[in-house]
Amino acid sequence: MLLLVKLRFKSALKVGGGDLAQGEEFRGILHSDTIFSAILNEWVRIYGRVSAETLLSTFRGDLPPFKISSAFPYCLDEYYLPAPYGTGELHMYKLKETPFLELYDFLDLASGNQQSILKKDLINPLENILFQQIAPRVSIDRISAATNVYQVTGWQFKEEGGLYFIIDLHDNALNEKLHLCIKMLGDSGFGGDRSVGYGLFDAEIHPINDAAGWLDLFQKRSGENIVYFTLSLCCPSTEEAKEAVSYQLLSRKSWIFSHSSAKQLKRRECKMIAEGSLFRNLIKGQLVDVTPSEFTEHNVYRYGLGMMIDVVDLVKP
């Protein structure tokens, strides 16, 4: 079962882009590893640590109970997907400066209709639905009571816009629990400065098995000229990495946040392949243990399973 999860943010969102080489500015994507970690933390809070560890163990099998995509922008009934990486004419002249494609434009491209995209004037949807918010904050010294005024920057979506992600649910027995975790996560939020209300959201969750457009996105295409496009960050095994055709690497590192521990330590760095990358064959990816040596409460994992769809080869000109 495929689920569409729409996030409507109540306030600003403070998250980085995840690509340290290009800076930490938010680029319209909330990565799948961040979403998975947040859901798992809510799972621990609601169902307990033992239940969460049992759930994690099922992701090491051949068929994980569910997969999640990264979260991408939407505006009203228009949904956007990351533009694929490549080296042909289409990428050099059209997609290089266009981070997202509207769902039906993406479907044209996935079916091999590159001429349709070449003829269009593409825009970055973030220009119309996202704006920077700067809010004043005051810190007070506990001893001297001296004050320090500073500014906090976040990103605010217009009322009709937000982010969405997809859950490919294989174990329907987890449906209600996942719904509850996501709903509860709305009150915990994503990103920084959550203590002052940043990152909070309302979630709408709907099955999309019968929705127009989405069925076409996940249909199985036939032929020799097929590659696989990832809707999530993924961490392939050494052998799977050889299947990469066109891709971008992201360096992922952040602080541990755990309902089971108050320790503040950084996770070990992990390299991931970004959304929009292409592979010759389907890959599974893996959960990566990023536990720092000083952290002994429990293991810390980064979600690197690939949610992939098959498309006509987008690399060739």
Side-chain angles (χ1 to χ4, degrees):
M1 176 167 58
L2 292 169
L3 300 173
L4 179 69
V5 184
K6 295 177 68 173
L7 309 179
R8 188 166 55 251
F9 289 92
K10 301 176 183 179
S11 58
L13 176 67
K14 185 179 179 181
V15 294
D19 185 356
L20 300 180
Q22 299 182 21
E24 281 295 300
E25 180 179 339
F26 178 53
R27 301 177 185 276
I29 295 179
L30 187 60
H31 296 297
S32 50
D33 57 350
T34 297
I35 298 172
F36 184 84
S37 294
I39 290 175
L40 192 64
N41 264 301
E42 292 302 315
W43 193 288
V44 171
R45 194 154 66 106
I46 299 169
Y47 304 112
R49 178 172 162 180
V50 173
S51 176
E53 289 175 347
T54 301
L55 176 67
L56 268 177
S57 67
T58 63
F59 282 87
R60 299 186 184 93
D62 292 333
L63 184 63
F66 64 87
K67 290 185 177 182
I68 58 173
S69 74
S70 294
F72 310 117
Y74 75 85
C75 184
L76 295 175
D77 293 326
E78 293 186 340
Y79 299 90
Y80 294 88
L81 295 159
Y85 294 102
T87 55
E89 176 187 5
L90 178 69
H91 304 82
M92 293 296 101
Y93 296 102
K94 277 292 183 180
L95 302 184
K96 189 176 181 180
E97 304 299 329
T98 305
F100 299 103
L101 291 173
E102 196 275 329
L103 173 60
Y104 287 96
D105 288 337
F106 184 91
L107 289 174
D108 274 348
L109 196 58
S111 300
N113 188 5
Q114 297 192 12
Q115 291 303 315
S116 172
I117 304 301
L118 284 169
K119 294 176 183 177
K120 287 194 173 185
D121 292 325
L122 301 176
I123 62 170
N124 183 351
L126 297 180
E127 296 175 359
N128 297 323
I129 64 173
L130 187 70
F131 61 92
Q132 193 175 50
Q133 182 186 81
I134 300 176
R137 293 284 184 268
V138 178
S139 64
I140 303 176
D141 189 281
R142 295 182 181 180
I143 298 176
S144 66
T147 59
N148 178 43
V149 180
Y150 63 100
Q151 292 181 329
V152 174
T153 302
W155 298 91
Q156 180 75 56
F157 286 93
K158 293 183 179 179
E159 186 176 354
E160 63 272 18
L163 298 174
Y164 77 93
F165 65 94
I166 298 167
I167 300 176
D168 187 1
L169 182 61
H170 297 129
D171 185 353
N172 290 337
L174 299 180
N175 192 18
E176 290 186 7
K177 290 184 175 181
L178 271 176
H179 273 64
L180 180 57
C181 286
I182 294 169
K183 293 290 186 181
M184 294 293 289
L185 180 56
D187 295 326
S188 300
F190 285 111
D193 287 322
R194 287 173 289 174
S195 61
V196 294
Y198 274 28
L200 308 184
F201 62 86
D202 290 321
E204 296 179 14
I205 307 173
H206 305 288
I208 60 173
N209 302 63
D210 299 323
W214 295 110
L215 280 182
D216 296 329
L217 183 69
F218 285 92
Q219 74 174 348
K220 298 299 180 184
R221 294 172 174 83
S222 58
E224 297 180 358
N225 198 27
I226 299 296
V227 292
Y228 296 87
F229 176 98
T230 179
L231 295 170
S232 64
L233 289 184
C234 58
C235 186
S237 66
T238 302
E239 286 301 312
E240 288 176 331
K242 298 175 182 178
E243 301 294 336
V245 175
S246 183
Y247 61 92
Q248 181 179 10
L249 286 177
L250 295 184
S251 179
R252 304 293 286 157
K253 53 183 178 180
S254 60
W255 293 90
I256 294 172
F257 176 78
S258 172
H259 287 302
S260 301
S261 173
K263 280 188 178 180
Q264 290 291 300
L265 294 170
K266 281 192 174 182
R267 298 182 241 196
R268 290 191 291 114
E269 184 177 358
C270 178
K271 298 289 186 181
M272 294 278 195
I273 289 184
E275 306 89 348
S277 298
L278 303 174
F279 292 80
R280 294 185 190 87
N281 291 296
L282 277 174
I283 69 163
K284 178 187 174 185
Q286 58 189 319
L287 288 180
V288 185
D289 191 331
V290 291
T291 313
S293 58
E294 312 95 299
F295 192 82
T296 57
E297 279 77 354
H298 57 75
N299 285 0
V300 180
Y301 295 95
R302 194 170 284 283
Y303 177 85
L305 299 181
M307 179 184 283
M308 312 193 79
I309 54 175
D310 46 305
V311 299
V312 172
D313 194 337
L314 303 176
V315 176
K316 295 180 180 178

